[in-house]
Amino acid sequence: MAKQMPKRNLEKVGLGVTGACVVLVTLVVLALIIMVAQKGLSAFFKDGVNIAGFFGGTKWDLSNTDQNGMPYTGALPLIVTSFSVTILSTIIALPISLGSAIFAVEIRPRFGSKVFQPLIELLTGIPSVVFGLIGFHVVVGACKAIFGVSTGLGILPGSIVLAVMILPTVTTLSIDALRAVPDGYRQGSLALGYTRWQTIWRVVLKSALPSLMTAVILGMTRAFGETLAVRMVIGGIEKMPAGLLDAASTITTTLTTSMAVYAEGSAQDDILWALGLLLMGMSLVFILIIHLIGRKGAKARG
């Protein structure tokens, strides 16, 4: 009995420590959400910013005011640019990531596990400013030469840079998704007379679809929240973009360039917090979609 008491005490200590960690993380998350929500909603309830004008207006200029003495808070150009860059970068990265994952898992699995996957994971450790520098000197220069534009800045170079940045995330998660498909599925398909490519297309990809969709959503989440690299190649002008090579600005780039300009507690500061609230809300939506896809996939496997 004396020997069992220390083990029980140790178990209680372990439960207490792990429980405290859970409580701490929960409190931090709730505190962040409450703080951003309180600051962001102040723009609408304290400063009187029109909600419809905020989401539907096309002029963003916090330095100047309209006839009512309110800054121009039309965030629609920032929202459109953010989604445009995110969607276009995903469209560029997805075929490359999926093709690479298929090759690394289904075609050359030994090469994929020992050479390709460690190599692609190295890209995740490269700072975003390096991607921004390469994008500014290579991608922007290429856009200027190919399309004959003056600056080469805009949504297209921003999307290309973001596609390279999310490539390791989407590729690695896609590889894990394909490897999670049981080998019995492949063997059963081949035994029924399907070719290797038919097996990959009709069996492996279909079975891994929920996990692949999760990889895509995580990549979009990374792209939606990226700031520095995009800021270096997109132009940083808060206006509605007229084309892929028109200088524009995303929600994140506007936040980084404007947050230190205005005094804390001012209407402009509250409006920027409202942008942060919008960004956090979209991130939560992406996370919710991931959970819904995961539950659907679990039910399908069950």
Side-chain angles (χ1 to χ4, degrees):
M1 188 69 179
K3 294 183 178 179
Q4 293 180 353
M5 289 300 294
K7 292 183 179 180
R8 291 181 180 180
N9 292 336
L10 184 61
E11 183 177 354
K12 291 180 179 179
V13 172
L15 290 173
V17 171
T18 54
C21 292
V22 171
V23 172
L24 178 62
V25 172
T26 303
L27 290 176
V28 170
V29 172
L30 290 176
L32 288 174
I33 294 175
I34 292 173
M35 178 181 177
V36 176
Q38 181 182 9
K39 292 279 190 178
L41 293 176
S42 296
F44 306 107
F45 296 103
K46 186 186 79 172
D47 303 309
V49 175
N50 184 269
I51 297 178
F54 180 80
F55 288 99
T58 58
K59 184 174 182 179
W60 178 273
D61 187 0
L62 300 184
S63 300
N64 297 311
T65 58
D66 57 16
Q67 63 272 17
N68 299 320
M70 292 295 297
Y72 293 97
T73 58
L76 185 60
L78 310 180
I79 298 172
V80 170
T81 303
S82 297
F83 278 100
S84 299
V85 171
T86 299
I87 294 173
L88 186 56
S89 63
T90 305
I91 292 174
I92 296 172
L94 181 57
I96 301 173
S97 299
L98 188 57
S100 301
I102 291 174
F103 183 87
V105 176
E106 304 294 333
I107 310 302
R108 293 290 183 270
R110 181 174 297 181
F111 170 80
S113 61
K114 294 187 176 181
V115 179
F116 178 74
Q117 190 168 7
L119 183 64
I120 198 69
E121 288 176 351
L122 288 176
L123 289 176
T124 59
I126 298 177
S128 59
V129 66
V130 176
F131 287 105
L133 285 172
I134 296 174
F136 182 79
H137 290 286
V138 178
V139 179
V140 172
C143 289
K144 290 170 63 177
I146 295 173
F147 299 102
V149 292
S150 58
T151 63
L153 303 173
I155 293 176
L156 181 60
S159 301
I160 294 173
V161 171
L162 269 184
V164 177
M165 294 184 68
I166 68 175
L167 199 64
T169 300
V170 182
T171 302
T172 301
L173 293 175
S174 298
I175 289 175
D176 294 337
L178 295 182
R179 282 181 180 159
V181 177
D183 287 335
Y185 289 12
R186 299 176 178 85
Q187 295 170 3
S189 176
L190 294 173
L192 290 174
Y194 280 15
T195 65
R196 180 170 63 177
W197 288 107
Q198 287 175 327
T199 299
I200 293 172
W201 181 256
R202 298 183 181 180
V203 177
V204 177
L205 291 180
K206 186 177 181 180
S207 300
L209 185 59
S211 297
L212 292 175
M213 293 179 65
T214 299
V216 173
I217 299 298
L218 282 173
M220 293 179 67
T221 305
R222 166 79 190 277
F224 196 81
E226 181 55 44
T227 304
L228 184 57
V230 179
R231 177 68 180 85
M232 298 173 69
V233 298
I234 202 171
I237 298 179
E238 288 98 358
K239 67 174 185 176
M240 184 67 74
L244 294 180
L245 289 172
D246 193 22
S249 181
T250 64
I251 295 175
T252 53
T253 56
T254 298
L255 282 172
T256 54
T257 55
S258 303
M259 186 57 75
V261 176
Y262 304 102
E264 184 177 356
S266 63
Q268 290 86 348
D269 184 67
D270 292 338
I271 293 167
L272 292 176
W273 276 104
L275 274 184
L277 178 61
L278 175 61
L279 186 65
M280 185 181 68
M282 291 308 306
S283 299
L284 293 177
V285 169
F286 284 135
I287 294 171
L288 179 61
I289 293 173
I290 291 173
H291 283 290
L292 292 176
I293 293 173
R295 289 183 181 179
K296 186 177 179 180
K299 289 182 180 179
R301 289 189 296 268

